[in-house]
Amino acid sequence: MSEEFEVPSPHEHHIEHVTEHAHGSGDNFAGKIAVMTALMATVGALFSYQAGSTESAAAMNKNDAAIKKTEAANQWNYYQAKSSRQNLAELATHIPGVDAAHYSAEAARYKSEKEVVQKKAEALETEAREWDEKSELALHQHHRWAQAMTAIQIAISLAAITLLTRKEWLKKMAYGAGAVSVVLGTLAWLHI
């Protein structure tokens, strides 16, 4: 049986030492930073979830737009086929010895069928544009959530450095980065 053991890095050892020393001396600086870091990590997890969710929504909307574009393209191809048949029927009316009335009726039928196909293709193109717009809005919101997540990660990093250095100005920067993150998260939530 092999025994597993872990060798702590100097950084981990220093953090452990500082934390134990702060606990033993009644210094609550480390405790405050730890609570702040835990809160920021929780907010960061929420931001991360929202960023992933909006990214998925943007991708799904883009996929729906692509489907509608394909359906519209198929309708335009059908429209082209009807146009070709209409043109052939109109051409046939000029051929001597052919029932011109029959081919005139066929040309009129193809013309009316084309109008229906054209309206359907245009409606599908409109739907595709709407899905594209929804995708763009969701992607913008995703970027806001990602910006908020980045800011909270910076705040957490600054909090860790603050814990090691015990610099008050770093603590203020960590709070500032956390506040920026909350503002960006609020903008994302409000779809701004």
Side-chain angles (χ1 to χ4, degrees):
M1 251 166 107
S2 69
E3 292 184 35
E4 292 185 31
F5 60 93
E6 184 178 330
V7 177
S9 71
H11 172 75
E12 290 171 328
H13 181 70
H14 180 70
I15 289 177
E16 187 177 309
H17 175 72
V18 169
T19 306
E20 286 174 10
H21 176 69
H23 235 5
S25 66
D27 180 14
N28 62 5
F29 182 84
K32 287 179 182 179
I33 297 297
V35 169
M36 179 182 74
T37 303
L39 290 173
M40 288 189 294
T42 302
V43 170
L46 294 171
F47 289 170
S48 179
Y49 171 79
Q50 287 301 115
S53 176
T54 53
E55 183 178 35
S56 294
M60 290 300 294
N61 291 339
K62 190 58 83 172
N63 186 54
D64 288 338
I67 289 169
K68 293 301 177 185
K69 287 176 186 175
T70 301
E71 290 176 7
N74 290 342
Q75 287 300 307
W76 285 119
N77 289 337
Y78 191 46
Y79 177 88
Q80 280 302 116
K82 295 285 184 186
S83 292
S84 296
R85 289 185 179 135
Q86 177 188 352
N87 291 337
L88 289 173
E90 289 171 353
L91 184 62
T93 61
H94 297 5
I95 298 174
V98 175
D99 184 5
H102 169 73
Y103 286 108
S104 289
E106 286 293 302
R109 180 174 64 92
Y110 287 130
K111 183 178 180 183
S112 68
E113 289 174 355
K114 271 186 2 184
E115 291 171 2
V116 172
V117 173
Q118 180 181 7
K119 287 179 182 169
K120 188 172 181 180
E122 289 170 348
L124 287 166
E125 285 179 340
T126 299
E127 281 185 66
R129 277 192 300 278
E130 289 169 358
W131 283 114
D132 270 334
E133 289 170 7
K134 287 180 183 179
S135 176
E136 290 302 317
L137 289 173
L139 195 57
H140 174 72
Q141 188 182 22
H142 162 72
H143 287 143
R144 282 283 188 233
W145 287 118
Q147 290 167 344
M149 186 61 204
T150 300
I152 203 77
Q153 287 172 337
I154 291 169
I156 291 169
S157 295
L158 288 172
I161 296 168
T162 300
L163 187 59
L164 292 172
T165 63
R166 305 180 75 71
K167 302 287 184 188
E168 191 66 31
W169 64 272
L170 273 173
K171 183 173 85 171
K172 289 177 183 175
M173 283 184 64
Y175 284 139
V180 167
S181 175
V182 169
V183 168
L184 289 168
T186 302
L187 292 173
W189 183 59
L190 295 173
H191 299 269
I192 295 175

